[in-house]
């Protein structure tokens, strides 16, 4: 028995650990360091209809236990991703989750229609939550009706299951998740980055050229855990969890909160071997915790009537 | 490109806030090009989170050692400066493409121009050029005398000039002031330093072979995150990544 294997819509994963979108490019760089076949899946960089240069630099700034990024969805565009990146990735026996972005609903639909036809793309991840693009992006991710409408349109054209990536930059994430589930999404991925900002003490200028950026890394982990805990109890579609994961223990914590698989983002920059290392460490941790299979961990914090949410005071 | 916990064998302050650190490890066997850099994690904790890009200053293959010179300024480099010989640091590297030695032919003259913490990679460069039989002239620029370093070490390779912005040492002004008054001829120019300095050099020598090492804030350091891109002339979408296409570019290859 493979204790790490998980089955999700469209995805038969040999293990539940995958690099998060935007933190792994299209895999070429990390392929120089290790065999990508060890990964459960790969979430590729956001793809838009046309090539995008993205934002001016500086595009990253460090924060306590985290970082801000304002890459601005730089990518080579649908055509190049279809003709060069996806065929290159096809040499690996790893399902690809294509992160889809756009400025208009039509953009999303167009990219989804084509990219879902690629043989190694087993699922789409709708990026309705990027905080770094002027038009679209986060607007799609903050109004439930708009997110639901987009989900529906993409579902109509996609040949593979559709996961929607939730933005944490909302007041009520449960309402958002429910609207997206009702619109037909096959799964959720969460969380994207939190909108943040840093200012240089010497110059009084924002450090990022874009002024604001998305916060990621260990700093956001408690927020991701809380949101997955809330959402997983309110929907019945599976969740791929992310936000600050650095270790096998972190992975288990995300499962306990309600995730069925996880993605690792920023930690790849700090330790390029973090994904294979976590995968290698998980079986021993399952032994230690007394689980036969990792899926037993999903929702553990609330399924066994665990502690209720502390609401202050 | 690998990661390794390298051992600190020597660590010394050589000027105000400027430290020289020597690291030993198997990774040195992979280090070849001057201008390449390593990405250093200064703590096992999550804060400061990111690695710090630092250039190779001297590669000693016989001893399996490399030297790095850095300015202790922010959280990461300050922590690094507190480490003692015998302790380990987590190094990812060597990264990027360095200065092309082959651009200067034996018997030719190369001009090496460094500004501030852009000076260190020129040391390994001078060493390799001289070994090949290329004559080198070196121009170093610093803010003040207090933060100047390595003048005498460079002088063992060739004529070395120093400029300080406040005039506390050498020529008062910028490296370009030294070049205007002292430098007569050269075949290839190699430079590393702040962007305004690189821009000035690019504009000054439009007809020369010029190589510039760029600095940009980085995430991954290996080409995966798109943090460090710069534009390519005459294109809306073309780009180069400083970490994996650079940090050294031929003048005109990217928009400064
Ligand atoms: C290819 C390359 C080679 C370099 N070589 C050297 C060298 O040999 N010696 C040396 O002293 N410095 C070098 N630098 C600059 C050095 O990386 C920064 O000074 C250092 O990262 C600052 O870290 P900190 O902890 O002092 O600052 P903090 O303010 O704590 O840094 C916060 C974040 O900003 C980044 N950052 C801040 N300043 C810079 C900068 N100037 N360039 C890039 N990132 C920056 C840091 O890496 C970190 O991610 C090089 C930079 C690059 C890109
Ligand atoms: C540099 C960088 C680029 C990113 N690019 C994308 C992207 O293109 N599409 C996307 O959906 N998320 C993107 N993200 C968000 C991550 O996929 C992930 O949701 C987030 O960073 C939280 O996980 P982490 O803390 O493990 O990094 C990016 C994050 C970073 C740090
Ligand atoms: S630092 Fe990540 S692409 Fe250059």
């Amino acid at each position: 028995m493979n204790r790490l294997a998980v089955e999700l819509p469209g995805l038969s994963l040999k293990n539940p650990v995958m690099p998060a979108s935007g933190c792994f490019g299209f895999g070429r760089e990390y392929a120089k360091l290790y065999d990508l076949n060890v990964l459960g899946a790969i979430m590729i960089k956001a793809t838009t209809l046309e090539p995008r240069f993205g934002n001016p630099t500086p595009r990253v700034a460090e924060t306590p236990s985290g970082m801000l990024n304002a890459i601005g969805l730089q990518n080579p565009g649908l055509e190049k991703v279809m003709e060069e990146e996806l065929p290159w990735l096809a040499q690996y026996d790893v399902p690809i989750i294509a992160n889809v972005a756009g400025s208009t609903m039509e953009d999303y639909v167009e990219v989804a229609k084509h990219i879902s036809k690629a043989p190694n793309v087993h699922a789409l991840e709708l990026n309705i939550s990027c905080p770094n693009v002027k038009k679209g992006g986060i607007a799609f991710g903050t109004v439930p009706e708009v997110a639901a409408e987009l989900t529906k349109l993409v579902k109509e054209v996609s040949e593979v299951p559709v996961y929607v990536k939730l933005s944490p930059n909302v007041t009520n994430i449960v309402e958002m998740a429910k609207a997206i589930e009702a619109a037909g999404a096959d799964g959720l991925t969460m969380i994207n980055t939190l909108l943040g900002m840093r200012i240089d003490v010497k110059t009084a200028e924002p450090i990022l050229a874009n002024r604001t950026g998305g916060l990621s890394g260990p700093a956001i982990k408690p927020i991701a855990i809380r949101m997955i805990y809330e959402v997983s109890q309110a929907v019945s579609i599976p969740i791929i969890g992310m936000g600050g994961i650095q270790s096998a223990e972190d992975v288990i914590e995300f499962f306990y909160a309600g995730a069925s698989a996880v993605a690792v983002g920023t930690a790849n920059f700090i330790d390029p071997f973090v994904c294979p290392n976590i995968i290698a460490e998980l079986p021993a941790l399952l032994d230690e915790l007394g689980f036969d299979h990792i899926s037993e961990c999903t929702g553990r914090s609330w399924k066994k009537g665990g502690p209720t949410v502390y609401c202050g005071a | 490109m690998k990661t390794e916990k390298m051992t600190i064998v020597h660590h010394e302050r050589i000027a105000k806030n400027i430290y020289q650190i020597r690291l030993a490890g198997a990774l040195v066997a992979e280090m070849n090009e001057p201008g390449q850099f390593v990405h250093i994690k200064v703590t096992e904790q999550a804060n400061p989170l990111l690695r710090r890009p630092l250039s190779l200053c001297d590669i000693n293959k016989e001893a399996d050692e490399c030297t790095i010179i850095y300015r202790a300024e922010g959280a990461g480099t300050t922590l690094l400066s507190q480490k003692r010989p015998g302790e380990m640091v987590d190094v990812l590297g060597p990264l990027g493409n360095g200065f092309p030695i082959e651009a200067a032919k034996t018997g030719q003259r190369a001009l090496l121009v460094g500004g501030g913490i852009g000076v260190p990679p020129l040391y390994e460069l001078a060493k390799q050029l001289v070994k090949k039989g290329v004559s080198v002239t070196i121009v170093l620029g610093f803010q003040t005398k207090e933060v100047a370093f390595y003048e005498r070490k460079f002088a063992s390779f060739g004529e070395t000039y120093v400029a300080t912005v406040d005039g506390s040492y050498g020529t008062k002004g910028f490296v370009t002031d030294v070049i205007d008054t002292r430098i007569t001829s050269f075949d290839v120019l190699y430079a590393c330093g702040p962007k305004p300095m690189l821009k000035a050099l690019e504009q000054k020598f439009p007809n020369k072979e010029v190589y510039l090492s760029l600095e940009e804030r980085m995430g991954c350091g290996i080409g995966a995150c798109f943090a460090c891109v710069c534009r390519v002339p005459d294109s809306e979408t073309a780009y180069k990544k400083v970490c994996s296409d650079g940090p050294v570019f031929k003048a005109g290859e990217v928009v400064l």
Side-chain angles (χ1 to χ4, degrees):
Chain A
M1 180 189 70
N2 180 351
R3 317 166 66 186
L4 298 182
V6 285
E7 291 291 328
L8 299 178
L11 302 165
S12 282
L13 308 178
K14 50 187 168 280
N15 68 67
V17 181
M18 61 194 85
S21 177
C23 302
F24 207 74
F26 294 91
R28 290 179 191 266
E29 293 75 22
Y30 291 89
K32 292 180 197 153
L33 293 164
Y34 62 87
D35 180 4
L36 301 187
N37 282 312
V38 303
L39 298 169
I42 296 174
M43 292 169 144
I44 56 174
K45 177 73 193 165
T47 300
T48 53
L49 202 50
E50 302 297 335
R52 281 207 197 176
F53 180 81
N55 291 321
T57 58
R59 291 176 170 187
V60 293
E62 198 176 46
T63 67
S65 301
M67 68 178 277
L68 294 168
N69 89 79
I71 308 296
L73 296 185
Q74 179 161 25
N75 78 93
L78 176 66
E79 204 178 301
K80 242 188 156 164
V81 171
M82 291 289 287
E83 278 168 18
E84 290 173 22
E85 304 300 342
L86 287 169
W88 180 84
L89 278 163
Q91 67 181 291
Y92 298 100
D93 177 27
V94 177
I96 305 301
I97 301 174
N99 189 270
V100 173
S103 309
T104 63
M105 295 228 187
E106 293 73 35
D107 283 358
Y108 279 94
V109 169
E110 201 57 22
V111 176
K113 194 157 93 189
H114 289 96
I115 211 163
S116 67
K117 291 196 174 82
N120 53 339
V121 168
H122 292 211
L124 301 185
E125 181 184 40
L126 279 194
N127 179 3
I128 58 166
S129 48
C130 180
N132 297 326
V133 280
K134 295 258 143 45
K135 272 192 301 174
I138 210 156
F140 291 110
T142 49
V143 183
E145 293 74 26
V146 179
E149 173 69 12
L150 182 66
T151 306
K152 220 158 78 196
L153 292 176
V154 170
K155 268 301 283 180
E156 278 167 17
V157 299
S158 177
E159 316 237 337
V160 295
V162 176
Y163 292 68
V164 179
K165 186 161 184 175
L166 300 188
S167 168
N169 301 301
V170 295
T171 19
N172 189 341
I173 192 134
V174 169
E175 182 194 8
M176 194 71 188
K178 280 180 159 167
I180 289 167
E181 180 184 40
D186 299 281
L188 300 171
T189 65
M190 59 193 288
I191 58 175
N192 208 323
T193 55
L194 287 120
L195 198 53
M197 184 169 177
R198 273 208 60 195
I199 299 168
D200 188 310
V201 172
K202 285 186 193 139
T203 63
E205 297 276 343
I207 292 179
L208 296 174
N210 188 51
R211 298 198 293 273
T212 60
L215 182 64
S216 65
I220 71 168
K221 197 183 92 176
I223 300 169
I225 294 287
R226 186 266 295 175
M227 288 185 160
I228 292 168
Y229 178 85
E230 289 176 357
V231 169
S232 63
Q233 294 178 71
V235 301
S236 52
I237 49 178
I239 295 171
I240 303 177
M242 64 198 79
I245 294 177
Q246 285 187 301
S247 66
E249 283 78 8
D250 289 342
V251 172
I252 298 297
E253 193 178 344
F254 272 75
F255 270 72
Y256 285 168
S260 297
V262 294
V264 180
T266 304
N268 289 289
F269 307 157
I270 292 112
D271 176 6
F273 297 96
V274 66
C275 289
N277 287 348
I278 288 177
I279 294 163
E281 285 161 19
L282 275 171
L285 185 57
L286 289 181
D287 283 342
E288 198 183 304
L289 297 168
F291 295 109
D292 290 329
H293 197 279
I294 188 147
S295 54
E296 293 163 39
C297 302
T298 298
R300 194 102 186 151
S301 62
W302 51 266
K303 273 184 189 158
K304 58 173 186 195
T308 48
V309 195
Y310 177 73
C311 297
Chain B
M1 168 172 81
K2 281 192 196 118
T3 53
E4 187 185 12
K5 295 240 159 51
M6 296 182 79
T7 308
I8 302 171
V9 288
H10 180 87
H11 203 175
E12 169 189 16
R13 182 182 169 281
I14 56 169
K16 191 181 173 202
N17 293 335
I18 306 289
Y19 291 79
Q20 169 176 290
I21 190 167
R22 205 157 76 229
L23 303 172
L27 213 55
V28 177
E30 295 193 20
M31 299 173 179
N32 297 306
E33 295 171 28
Q36 282 192 304
F37 66 101
V38 290
H39 218 16
I40 297 190
K41 174 85 172 125
V42 302
T43 165
E44 304 216 330
Q45 309 302 316
N47 196 27
L49 186 69
L50 297 173
R51 289 175 180 272
R52 299 297 193 261
L54 297 171
S55 303
L56 296 170
C57 167
D58 188 17
I59 306 165
N60 181 347
K61 295 237 181 196
E62 288 75 49
D64 275 336
E65 289 177 0
C66 65
T67 302
I68 289 158
I69 292 177
Y70 66 93
R71 180 166 63 211
E73 200 172 21
T77 51
T78 300
L79 258 181
L80 182 61
S81 72
Q82 291 157 3
K83 295 209 176 269
R84 293 162 173 273
E87 289 186 64
M88 312 272 225
V89 281
D90 182 343
V91 179
L92 167 65
L95 303 176
N97 300 296
F99 292 105
I101 298 290
E102 65 280 3
K105 305 196 175 47
T106 303
Q108 285 192 324
R109 176 163 292 277
L111 176 62
L112 278 55
V113 183
I117 49 165
V119 168
L122 301 183
Y123 183 76
E124 178 67 25
L125 176 65
K127 197 173 92 183
Q128 292 196 19
L129 287 171
V130 167
K131 195 171 162 208
K132 182 181 168 179
V134 176
S135 315
V136 297
T137 307
I138 299 130
V139 180
L140 310 176
F142 299 101
Q143 282 297 322
T144 76
K145 185 181 177 189
E146 278 185 317
V147 295
F149 58 92
Y150 261 44
E151 182 196 2
R152 284 173 57 193
K153 291 205 127 201
F154 275 103
S156 68
F157 293 126
E159 241 176 304
T160 301
Y161 302 93
V162 175
T164 52
V165 177
D166 67 354
S168 54
Y169 190 74
T171 304
K172 181 173 166 45
F174 298 105
V175 289
T176 42
D177 296 314
V178 175
I179 294 171
D180 286 341
T181 52
R182 307 289 189 103
I183 308 300
T184 44
S185 76
F186 63 89
D187 301 295
V188 185
L189 173 71
Y190 299 99
C192 182
K195 217 173 240 176
M197 181 192 106
L198 301 180
K199 263 191 186 158
L201 292 171
E202 188 177 65
Q203 279 162 13
K204 211 171 174 55
F205 301 107
N207 303 315
K208 288 274 187 191
E209 197 163 346
V210 176
Y211 295 92
L212 307 169
S213 182
L214 269 59
E215 220 175 62
E216 192 52 77
R217 284 183 184 242
M218 293 184 176
C220 67
I222 64 171
C225 76
F226 293 87
C228 65
V229 298
C230 45
R231 284 191 181 273
V232 169
D234 308 319
S235 167
E236 278 298 304
T237 52
Y239 63 89
K240 297 269 179 187
K241 294 170 190 162
V242 172
C243 69
S244 54
D245 297 318
V248 177
F249 294 99
K250 194 168 183 179
E253 200 182 340
V254 296
V255 180
L256 290 180

